[in-house]
Structures are given as structure tokens and as C-alpha cells.
Amino acid sequence: MAKDLAVSVDKRMEIQATAYSQSCRIDIVGNIINRQQYDGIANTYSPDYTIRPCTLFPPCYLIDPDNPVETTNCNGMLDSFSWSEVTEAGIVVVATSENSSVVDGYEAIVDGLDKGTLYVKENSQINKPRSMRFEASWTDPVSGYKYTFIANKPLYLEDCTNARAEIMLDSAPTVLWNPLRHSSTKVLNARVMVGAKDKSADSKTRIWWYRILDDGTKQLISSLDDAENFEITAMTKADNGQITSITVNCDMIGEGIGYEIRACYIYEGSIPSSPRDADARKVTYINRTIPPLTAKFVGSTIGLNADTASVCCQAIVSDSNGVIDPSAWNNVARAKWQRVTYGKTVNDGVVTMTESVEELGYGETFMCPFALKKSIRLTIQDRGAYELLTDENGNALVDDDGNYLIAREIDSGK
């Protein structure tokens, strides 16, 4: 048997480990980007991640310092990974390689070359910025060294909401109300539009109605029970308590009245108690207007007998649209009858025609006393609009219930 004379020191046979450097980034896959726009009025997102998710892929590379051109993608070899949502509230893990769906709204791929891919299926929230953080590791089986990959990707949300309110009022800036032809009832309807959305009944909407007085001051209209609302017979309120329409009795507007409607829509924040200078405004004026009339009467005034006691005359009133029914003008106007005597005077050879007028009475039909060679004249007089009754100091008079007292300039019985 051979005799050992000397033994060397053992030398271990090993593969020289490569000291890799690593890199990681987060790429957007497809055309659904990490920037969204939000319209708070339509409550829509573009793009909408709940319909088409935003896909994030974190390519993880190992870079050989001796051959930097040849880099190795090691996503398929990752030992583990996790995705976290980073917000002001903290960091929440949303997906891991062990359980790809930790939080609703996220999903990850846990196998294959696309391992680590994250699908973001939840939209961002206004004023709550968030970023997605990717963390992964791979252990080199040769050196046993553990490589860590970390990358972050912000998700942006832009608020493109146009919260500017506009008022849609179904009344022209100036309305000519003819009491002889038009209905005394006029309904003013207002809608508050924000973009293409009707926000009249929204809890974020505020509407103010004002009556414009003759001196330019404004009275807030808040309730049908307000004492000064003698011309408002009804109003409609939306579910949010805001007035969206008023019904006006035009017989009670005097010679005219104005209304101003103000509105705002507060997308975020508290609703103001009164309108601001920049808030939407609409104004309408209703003016009492009687167009030119033609007055005629029927009742023969010629070929009468000498013993005729009176002539029965009936007033006929017309305008450019034809004869007006007496029921339409009797309360608004009155027929005044007069006896007219014509004469003449001569002064230095100059002849001047004269007339003497005697008032006989009033009424659509009138028995005019007969007088030979006298003429009968008919005049249609405006009784005037209803007006507030005031005392000698100009203060409005009210009844025992606090309601204003009103009357026409000429009572209908005269």
C-alpha cells in the first residue's frame, strides 16, 4: 500500500459569482395612461379604470458589469413581489405574488415573463393623490446575494369640472303684458344648468329670487306667505328647498315689475348665504301695456223723432287684432259718454270753431239723453293698474293680517 508523504491544502472548486447591478422602472402598457381627467358634474372619468384598467409593468434587470449591453430581465425569476398604494393616509399593500388580489380594484400577474404586472381597476379620488410602489426580490443561487428592486409610479387625476352655473329663464328680459288680450297669470320657470346637467334640485345649488322695486332696491322672495307677495299666487320648490318657479298675477304688478334670479352651484365647499358678484344672474321685467285702441259705438243718432227721450248707445272697442270682447275690457277700462255742443266765434273776421263738452255717464251700454243738434262722444278710459294703498307719509297700508291693501286708480263700479 502506498504511503502518503504529504497532503496539500484543500482548494474548493467554485463558480465565481457575478456582482450584478440592478435596475427597475414602471412602464405603462397599452394606451390607458396614468393620468385621468374627472368631470364632477357628469361624474365621469377619462380614462375610466373601472372599464379599462391601467396596466403597469415593472421590468426588473440584472446588469453584468463585464457585459453591460447584455442585460437580463428577471421578472420570471423573482422570488416575491408586492404592490402598494401610497397616499397621504399611509401605505397599503394592494397586491402580492402570493395573493395577486389583496385589495379590490387591483389585480397582478404572478407567473411567467410578465410576472409583477399590475392592473389598476380603481379610479383615483379628487384631492387624494396616490402613487403605486413596486417592491421585489431575487436571490442569486450562486452567491446567495439577495437583490432588491424598487420603483414608484404616480397616478394623476386632473379636475376638469366646469362648475359654472347658468340660469335658464323662460321669460324674455322685457315682457309686454296686455291686460285686454293676455292671461293675467304668468309663470316664471328657472333652471340652473351646469354644463349639460340640470342641477336645479341638487343639494349643492342655491337659488335666490328678488323683486325689483321702483327705486331699484330688491326684496328677497323666500315664501309664498311673505306679506309683500301680493302679486305671487303660487311657487314651486325643488327637493333641495330652492324656488324654481313663481306664478305671477299680472293684474297686481302695477304699471310694471321686475324680478332678478341669482344662482350658484358649489362643487366643493360651503354654500354662501347670499349671492356673490360672479354668480349667475337673470332679470325679467313685466310691463303693463295697452296698445292703441279704436272706440266706436252703435245707436242711431239721426232720423230721430222730436219726442225721442234718449238714444241707446253701445260701446265697441277694438285694437289691431280686431274687436275686443266687453268681458275683457270692462274691468280694465271704462266707457265714458259725453254730450258735445259745437259752435263758432268770429274775432276780427277770424272764425274759430268751439266745442262744449258735458259728461253724461259711464257704462258699456248707456242711454244718452236726446238733445237736438248735439253730438255724442265715447271715450275709453284706462281704470289703471292695481296699486298699493299708502298713507299720507307714503307708507303702505295693510289689513289686520298684515297683507297689503291694493286698489285700482278708478274703481270698477264707476
Side-chain angles (χ1 to χ4, degrees), residues 190 192 198-207 236-244 263-265 271:
V192 178
D198 187 343
K199 294 293 183 178
S200 305
D202 197 288
S203 61
K204 299 177 182 179
T205 298
R206 178 65 58 87
I207 306 173
T236 301
K237 291 186 177 183
D239 292 340
N240 57 359
Q242 302 303 297
I243 301 171
T244 55
C264 71
Y265 176 81
I271 300 175

Side-chain angles (χ1 to χ4, degrees), residues 39-43 160-168 191-200 205 265:
D39 185 341
I41 305 304
N43 192 27
C160 63
T161 304
N162 179 9
R164 170 71 178 175
E166 297 292 339
I167 301 173
M168 306 295 291
R191 290 191 301 157
V192 178
M193 304 297 295
V194 181
K197 298 289 184 179
D198 187 343
K199 294 293 183 178
S200 305
T205 298
Y265 176 81

Side-chain angles (χ1 to χ4, degrees), residues 333-372:
R334 69 175 179 176
K336 181 172 112 173
W337 301 93
Q338 297 168 307
R339 179 190 292 131
V340 183
T341 301
Y342 294 102
K344 64 180 178 180
T345 60
V346 179
N347 187 8
D348 294 333
V350 178
V351 178
T352 302
M353 300 303 296
T354 63
E355 66 177 44
S356 175
V357 180
E358 176 189 357
E359 184 176 303
L360 298 176
Y362 302 88
E364 174 200 347
T365 301
F366 189 77
M367 298 298 292
C368 296
F370 173 74
L372 186 62

Side-chain angles (χ1 to χ4, degrees), residues 201-413:
D202 197 288
S203 61
K204 299 177 182 179
T205 298
R206 178 65 58 87
I207 306 173
W208 298 269
W209 292 72
Y210 294 95
R211 179 187 295 103
I212 304 174
L213 304 181
D214 292 340
D215 61 1
T217 60
K218 300 169 186 176
Q219 289 179 335
L220 179 65
I221 301 170
S222 58
S223 170
L224 189 61
D225 297 329
D226 293 344
E228 61 269 19
N229 288 347
F230 55 89
E231 90 283 9
I232 299 177
T233 60
M235 63 176 55
T236 301
K237 291 186 177 183
D239 292 340
N240 57 359
Q242 302 303 297
I243 301 171
T244 55
S245 76
I246 62 173
T247 300
V248 179
N249 181 354
C250 295
D251 269 329
M252 302 298 177
I253 65 172
E255 294 301 326
I257 197 168
Y259 297 99
E260 179 178 283
I261 301 93
R262 304 292 304 275
C264 71
Y265 176 81
I266 304 301
Y267 173 54
E268 287 186 313
S270 59
I271 300 175
S273 58
S274 59
R276 303 160 299 178
D277 291 341
D279 286 333
R281 180 198 313 259
K282 282 287 185 179
V283 175
T284 184
Y285 286 91
I286 305 174
N287 294 326
R288 183 180 185 270
T289 305
I290 298 178
L293 301 176
T294 299
K296 296 181 180 180
F297 64 90
V298 292
S300 178
T301 60
I302 60 174
L304 302 174
N305 297 323
D307 59 350
T308 300
S310 60
V311 179
C312 181
C313 298
Q314 182 178 7
I316 299 176
V317 180
S318 59
D319 59 13
S320 60
N321 292 317
V323 175
I324 302 172
D325 191 275
S327 63
W329 64 262
N330 249 325
N331 290 328
V332 177
R334 69 175 179 176
K336 181 172 112 173
W337 301 93
Q338 297 168 307
R339 179 190 292 131
V340 183
T341 301
Y342 294 102
K344 64 180 178 180
T345 60
V346 179
N347 187 8
D348 294 333
V350 178
V351 178
T352 302
M353 300 303 296
T354 63
E355 66 177 44
S356 175
V357 180
E358 176 189 357
E359 184 176 303
L360 298 176
Y362 302 88
E364 174 200 347
T365 301
F366 189 77
M367 298 298 292
C368 296
F370 173 74
L372 186 62
K373 298 189 181 299
K374 305 292 185 181
S375 297
I376 299 172
R377 176 177 294 172
L378 168 65
T379 302
I380 302 300
Q381 294 182 317
D382 185 2
R383 293 185 185 276
Y386 282 107
E387 300 282 359
L388 284 174
L389 297 181
T390 59
D391 59 20
E392 62 276 7
N393 297 319
N395 299 315
L397 299 177
V398 296
D399 60 19
D400 293 339
D401 296 325
N403 298 312
Y404 289 119
L405 298 179
I406 57 174
R408 291 189 188 275
E409 181 181 348
I410 300 175
D411 186 79
S412 60

Side-chain angles (χ1 to χ4, degrees), residues 172-185:
T174 300
V175 177
L176 301 180
W177 176 69
N178 179 0
L180 300 178
R181 290 289 189 183
H182 300 156
S183 169
S184 62
T185 299

